[in-house]
């Protein structure tokens, strides 16, 4: 725009307050695109007020107090810049832009009509209000309405997050992808890391990359359904990979897949959660597709661990011991240590078994020796008795 936005945003909020609406307001009290753009155009159409001296006539700088003296250089007025912008775009300043029947596009407003963040800006791209500083008609038309609504959408999301009972509605797929990037940037993973990407869902913009896009003309195509199901099974079976399903008002893991043939046909289901994070709901894949077709923000996200050649981060042990995300173990070394411990335990058990067998053998031999000794003693005693008896008989 070429001018500070603070005063323009303040004026927009004041006008919204007169209508009983607020940026970040609840259902029925929030700001909509139509209302905000109409307020901007009304503000641009208002005449500029100039200071008039009490005595009338031309303003004399000497008659102004120190507080009323103009300060140079003076920052450009955003409403003046907006007036010039509208005039440069072919007479839109006369209010011929949007008609009464023009509504908001999908993704720009929530179900309550309130402005919210465009969740499909998954790659972190963001338009800038300073992207076009020239108001010359020879330049390409600047879509200032989109940029302005994006800015107000960010304000809406921030205020919802800062409420006494914060709402996480402004955090969409873009937040998931950005969080993974931040983890990779701030945490030491050695030669491994985390990646997140959009796997399945509708494409809302050409720049948004979706591995398995759901086309409108394939919603009822059974061949497309089977192809998408096979793609889902393939990525689900990949090691060190989890699937996160963004369904209505919720994010949840996809815990399992199953399919079978019945009298009614081919049944395909995914195990996820409509509430909480426990595996509690088997949802037909066709119903999951309907959810993703209903809005471009609903998608399946793939979160993967990229494995290096030597060092691999083991996050589970760190989380269990409450340590920060830093490499406590290398997975290879950890597995090797476990293997050595198991082998050591097996060797100790084997030695104990051998020792026990030796003790048993010794006891058995000792018992046999005692039995032999007792047999010899009895035999000697019997021999002595016989000898004594013979002597007595001979005598």
């Amino acid at each position: 725009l070429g001018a500070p936005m603070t005063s323009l945003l303040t004026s927009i909020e004041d006008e919204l307050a007169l209508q009983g609406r607020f940026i970040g307001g609840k259902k029925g009290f929030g700001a909509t695109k139509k209302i905000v753009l109409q307020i901007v155009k009304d503000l641009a159409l208002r005449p500029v007020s100039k200071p008039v001296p009490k005595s009338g006539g031309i303003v004399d700088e000497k008659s102004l107090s120190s507080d009323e003296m103009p300060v140079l250089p003076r920052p450009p007025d955003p409403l003046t810049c907006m007036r010039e912008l509208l005039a440069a775009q072919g007479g839109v300043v006369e209010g011929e832009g949007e008609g009464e029947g023009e509504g908001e596009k999908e993704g720009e407003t929530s179900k309550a009509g309130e402005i919210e963040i465009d969740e499909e800006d998954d790659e972190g791209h963001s338009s800038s209000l300073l992207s076009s500083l020239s108001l010359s008609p020879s330049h390409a038309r600047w879509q200032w309405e989109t940029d302005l609504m994006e800015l107000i959408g960010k304000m809406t999301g921030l205020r919802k997050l800062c409420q006494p009972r914060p709402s996480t509605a402004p955090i969409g797929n873009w937040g998931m992808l950005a969080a993974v990037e931040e983890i990779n940037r701030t945490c030491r993973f050695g030669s491994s890391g985390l990646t997140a990407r959009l796997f399945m869902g509708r494409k809302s913009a050409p720049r948004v990359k979706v591995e398995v896009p759901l086309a409108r003309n394939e919603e009822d195509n059974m061949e497309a359904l089977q192809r998408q199901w096979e793609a889902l099974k393939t990525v689900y079976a990949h090691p060190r990979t989890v699937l996160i399903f963004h369904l209505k008002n919720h994010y949840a893991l996809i815990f399992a897949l199953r399919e079978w043939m019945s009298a009614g046909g081919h049944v395909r289901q995914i195990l996820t959660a409509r509430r909480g994070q426990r595996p509690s709901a088997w949802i037909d894949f066709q119903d999951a597709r309907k959810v993703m077709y209903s809005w471009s923000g609903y998608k399946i996200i793939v979160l993967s661990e990229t494995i290096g050649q030597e060092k691999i981060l083991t996050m589970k042990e760190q989380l269990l011991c409450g340590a920060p995300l830093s490499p406590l173990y290398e997975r290879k070394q950890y597995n090797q240590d476990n293997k050595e411990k198991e082998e050591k335990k097996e060797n100790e058990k084997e030695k104990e078994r051998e020792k026990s067998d030796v003790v048993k053998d010794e006891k058995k031999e000792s018992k046999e020796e005692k039995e032999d000794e007792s047999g010899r003693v009895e035999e000697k005693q019997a021999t002595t008795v016989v000898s004594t008896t013979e002597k007595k008989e001979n005598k």
Side-chain angles (χ1 to χ4, degrees), residues 9 12-32 35-36 39 112-116 152 155-157 159-160 163:
L9 295 174
I12 292 174
E13 291 198 83
D14 293 341
E15 294 296 325
L16 285 172
L18 294 177
Q19 301 182 28
R21 293 179 176 271
F22 307 92
I23 295 177
K26 294 183 179 180
K27 182 178 179 180
F29 298 96
T32 65
I35 293 175
V36 170
I39 288 175
E114 302 170 5
I115 299 166
E116 65 177 19
I152 295 180
M155 295 172 60
T156 300
R159 293 187 181 182
K160 285 184 177 182
Q163 291 175 351

Side-chain angles (χ1 to χ4, degrees), residues 118-122 173 198 202 204 208 296-299:
D118 183 7
E119 292 190 358
E120 289 312 300
D121 200 5
D122 297 300
N173 299 334
L198 301 177
R202 279 175 49 202
S204 62
V208 178
S296 58
Y298 298 138
K299 285 185 172 65

Side-chain angles (χ1 to χ4, degrees), residues 300-337:
I300 294 177
I301 301 172
V302 175
L303 186 63
S304 303
E305 180 185 8
T306 57
I307 306 300
Q309 295 297 326
E310 297 179 358
K311 295 185 178 180
I312 302 172
L313 174 67
T314 303
M315 299 176 63
K316 182 177 179 180
E317 291 78 11
Q318 299 178 37
L319 296 175
L320 289 176
C321 65
L325 289 176
S326 60
L328 294 181
Y329 303 102
E330 297 176 4
R331 184 170 293 173
K332 182 187 293 185
Q333 185 64 38
Y334 176 74
N335 292 337
Q336 186 177 355
D337 293 344

Side-chain angles (χ1 to χ4, degrees), residues 54-70:
K54 296 179 181 179
S55 58
I58 301 174
V59 178
D60 185 8
E61 293 184 358
K62 295 181 180 180
S63 65
L64 299 175
S65 64
S66 59
D67 295 336
E68 297 174 336
M69 286 291 291

Side-chain angles (χ1 to χ4, degrees), residues 240-251:
R240 294 178 295 274
T241 297
V242 296
L243 302 179
I244 301 175
F245 186 21
H246 181 191
L247 61 162
K248 294 181 179 179
N249 301 322
H250 195 47
Y251 282 88

Side-chain angles (χ1 to χ4, degrees), residues 44-56:
L45 286 171
R46 290 180 185 177
V48 181
S49 58
K50 297 181 179 180
V52 179
K54 296 179 181 179
S55 58

